[in-house]
Amino acid sequence: MKSLTVALPGREYDILIASGILSRTGAECRKVLPKTSRILLVTDSNVAPLYGKTAEESLTESGFTVRTVVIPAGEPSKNADNLVLLWNEAMRFGITRTDAVIALGGGVVGDLAGFAAATILRGVAFVQIPTTLLAQVDSSVGGKVAIDLEAGKNLAGAFWQPKLVLMDPLTLNTLPDVTFSDGMAEVIKYGCIWDSDFFRLLSRCGNRAGVMERIEEVLYTCCAIKAKVVEEDELDTGLRMILNFGHTLGHAYEKAYHYETYTHGQAVSAGMCLVARLGEQLGLTESGTETAIRRLTAAYGLPTDIPCSLEDYRSAIGLDKKGSGDGITVIFLKKLGETLPKKLAKKELLNLL
Ligand code: NAD
Ligand code: GLY
């Protein structure tokens, strides 16, 4: 087992990474929830038949009374209707301030259940049990919880840190290849922005099987980087923006294809390749960086280029939450493992594309 602590003053929590830990959910949760009697367990229609029973039985064995709510799998479920549904389920269940919400699933379940936890009775304890690679390396750590609105993704939300994050790498074995690759884009991102040795390790792993042979180490490295960033900038007013490497342009691709053709990870992959190219053109990024990122993303089945019109770039950049005023901060790389955030006028960025 590997473990690390996200050291936020007064709200610190552990991330436990171990094969088979899902069957010890109850015992691990009991350590951080000594007074809790009721657990609202939120999962989705794909995850429930795979892992719902194991989690539920383990929680029950540790003396928790569990109510499971299963939402339909997929991004459209991260909506206000399901948030209200969880509020009402929690009230019917008799949740009190000492009770808790657990998310068992990918980032959709984690974001939705986390926002419910943040708002039920003005906030109850929350535990993340992420079951996708993306959720294990990114969304379950750091406390961002949200739902999507008609105007865009993640537009209503909160910062609500979990009390515990339990990661069972065995759950990744049931992921479709495309969903595993999706998470690999975020894994590769950590190598790009923080740790060139990790980038090289991923090159050596070569494919999904290679990553799975070292999965605890891979998850640990990603979570340790994210924990450091979050510890320094929990509320996303500074350093945390480096986690958006590849995301601004990636967002343009997702939006241009109406979130249907390309997954988030695929869009981020092409976004990372393009921003590396732009960085090299501008003399900001060490030469050869783009080639290295293209090679690695392609090895994991991710696209390196996505066609996109100037109009689509313009619209995505104009609406991007991360932009302020006429300027936008683009996360360039100085070299592999080191970022170089640079504020550009939006027009300047468009002229580069
Ligand atoms: P997801 O939750 O939709 O999961 C992807 C698919 O995998 C779903 O169909 C799900 O049912 C299925 N699945 C989950 N675990 C499985 C398993 N072990 N075996 C088989 N199938 C499984 O998507 P995701 O990629 O995990 O997360 C994407 C969401 O995360 C987006 O809504 C995004 O906005 C959010 N996100 C949040 C943060 C954050 O900091 N809060 C960061 C990144 C992404
Ligand atoms: N996924 C970006 C963040 O947590 O800030």
Side-chain angles (χ1 to χ4, degrees), residues 266-346:
Q266 288 170 339
V268 166
S269 169
M272 293 192 294
C273 293
L274 179 53
V275 84
R277 173 151 68 80
L278 299 180
E280 287 191 36
Q281 274 170 19
L282 291 168
L284 301 170
T285 304
E286 189 174 88
S287 120
T289 305
E290 182 203 356
T291 307
I293 298 175
R294 291 176 83 89
R295 222 176 259 150
L296 189 57
T297 49
Y300 286 97
L302 290 159
T304 51
D305 300 279
I306 292 179
C308 184
S309 71
L310 214 50
E311 242 353 275
D312 287 323
Y313 279 127
R314 182 176 289 123
S315 132
I317 289 163
L319 289 175
D320 195 278
K321 290 182 279 156
K322 292 147 213 137
S324 54
D326 287 337
I328 186 162
T329 302
V330 179
I331 310 302
F332 290 102
L333 296 184
K334 197 165 175 195
K335 57 184 181 182
L336 282 176
E338 197 178 329
T339 54
L340 184 63
K342 196 170 165 51
K343 190 153 183 177
L344 298 177
K346 286 181 181 171

Side-chain angles (χ1 to χ4, degrees), residues 138 141 144 189 226 236 240 243-244:
D138 189 359
V141 177
K144 282 189 182 175
K189 178 191 78 179
K226 182 142 190 195
D236 202 1
R240 195 162 174 167
L243 299 175
N244 290 328

Side-chain angles (χ1 to χ4, degrees), residues 1-4 15-19 21 136 165-169 215-221 223:
M1 169 155 110
K2 288 195 182 294
S3 71
L4 65 145
I15 301 169
L16 307 181
I17 305 164
S19 295
I21 202 165
Q136 295 189 347
V165 185
L166 289 180
M167 286 181 197
D168 190 337
I215 189 66
E216 288 194 8
E217 180 187 353
V218 168
L219 296 177
Y220 178 89
T221 305
C223 291

Side-chain angles (χ1 to χ4, degrees), residues 137-139 141-144 159 186 189-190 226 229-230 233-234 236 240-244 247 264 322:
V137 299
D138 189 359
S139 62
V141 177
K144 282 189 182 175
F159 289 94
E186 300 290 351
K189 178 191 78 179
Y190 289 110
K226 182 142 190 195
V229 172
V230 168
D233 179 26
E234 182 187 5
D236 202 1
R240 195 162 174 167
M241 73 170 71
I242 68 170
L243 299 175
N244 290 328
H247 282 57
H264 177 70
K322 292 147 213 137

Side-chain angles (χ1 to χ4, degrees), residues 40-61:
L40 192 72
L41 179 68
V42 184
T43 186
D44 78 19
S45 51
N46 289 334
V47 178
L50 293 168
Y51 307 112
K53 193 160 171 257
T54 306
E56 220 175 285
E57 282 180 359
S58 174
L59 287 162
T60 307
E61 273 166 26

Side-chain angles (χ1 to χ4, degrees), residues 20-271:
I21 202 165
L22 187 67
S23 60
R24 303 199 302 278
T25 297
E28 296 299 345
C29 286
R30 184 49 84 196
K31 290 181 200 162
V32 296
L33 302 170
K35 296 188 179 141
T36 295
S37 56
R38 289 181 180 78
I39 300 265
L40 192 72
L41 179 68
V42 184
T43 186
D44 78 19
S45 51
N46 289 334
V47 178
L50 293 168
Y51 307 112
K53 193 160 171 257
T54 306
E56 220 175 285
E57 282 180 359
S58 174
L59 287 162
T60 307
E61 273 166 26
S62 293
F64 296 106
T65 304
V66 182
R67 176 171 299 198
T68 301
V69 180
V70 182
I71 59 159
E75 186 71 28
S77 278
K78 219 173 92 176
N79 63 30
D81 287 346
N82 279 331
L83 180 64
V84 173
L85 176 117
L86 294 183
W87 288 342
N88 286 325
E89 282 293 330
M91 293 309 108
R92 275 193 286 273
F93 186 34
I95 285 259
T96 68
R97 300 281 313 269
T98 52
D99 291 329
V101 173
I102 296 183
L104 172 69
V108 165
V109 165
D111 281 11
L112 173 71
F115 195 24
T119 44
I120 289 166
L121 303 174
R122 298 197 179 85
V124 295
F126 177 46
V127 171
Q128 288 266 23
I129 310 181
T131 62
T132 63
L133 183 57
L134 181 141
Q136 295 189 347
V137 299
D138 189 359
S139 62
S140 65
V141 177
K144 282 189 182 175
V145 295
I147 56 166
D148 302 331
L149 301 181
E150 270 170 32
K153 282 182 67 175
N154 299 320
L155 291 181
F159 289 94
W160 193 249
Q161 300 293 341
K163 295 278 180 219
L164 177 68
V165 185
L166 289 180
M167 286 181 197
D168 190 337
L170 293 180
T171 61
L172 302 180
N173 289 332
T174 50
L175 285 181
D177 278 337
V178 67
T179 316
F180 190 88
S181 289
D182 207 35
M184 279 307 300
E186 300 290 351
V187 173
I188 292 168
K189 178 191 78 179
Y190 289 110
C192 292
I193 63 170
W194 198 274
D195 186 342
S196 55
D197 287 341
F198 182 55
F199 189 95
R200 282 186 280 277
L201 172 88
L202 297 173
S203 303
R204 287 197 299 280
C205 288
N207 56 27
R208 177 174 180 168
V211 168
M212 285 309 288
E213 274 172 29
R214 314 183 72 141
I215 189 66
E216 288 194 8
E217 180 187 353
V218 168
L219 296 177
Y220 178 89
T221 305
C222 296
C223 291
I225 296 168
K226 182 142 190 195
K228 280 201 193 92
V229 172
V230 168
E231 282 162 9
E232 194 162 315
D233 179 26
E234 182 187 5
L235 301 182
D236 202 1
T237 58
L239 179 71
R240 195 162 174 167
M241 73 170 71
I242 68 170
L243 299 175
N244 290 328
F245 173 62
H247 282 57
T248 301
L249 298 174
H251 178 50
Y253 303 136
E254 282 185 281
K255 199 165 176 290
Y257 293 87
H258 311 289
Y259 299 91
E260 280 164 7
T261 312
Y262 295 100
T263 65
H264 177 70
Q266 288 170 339
V268 166
S269 169

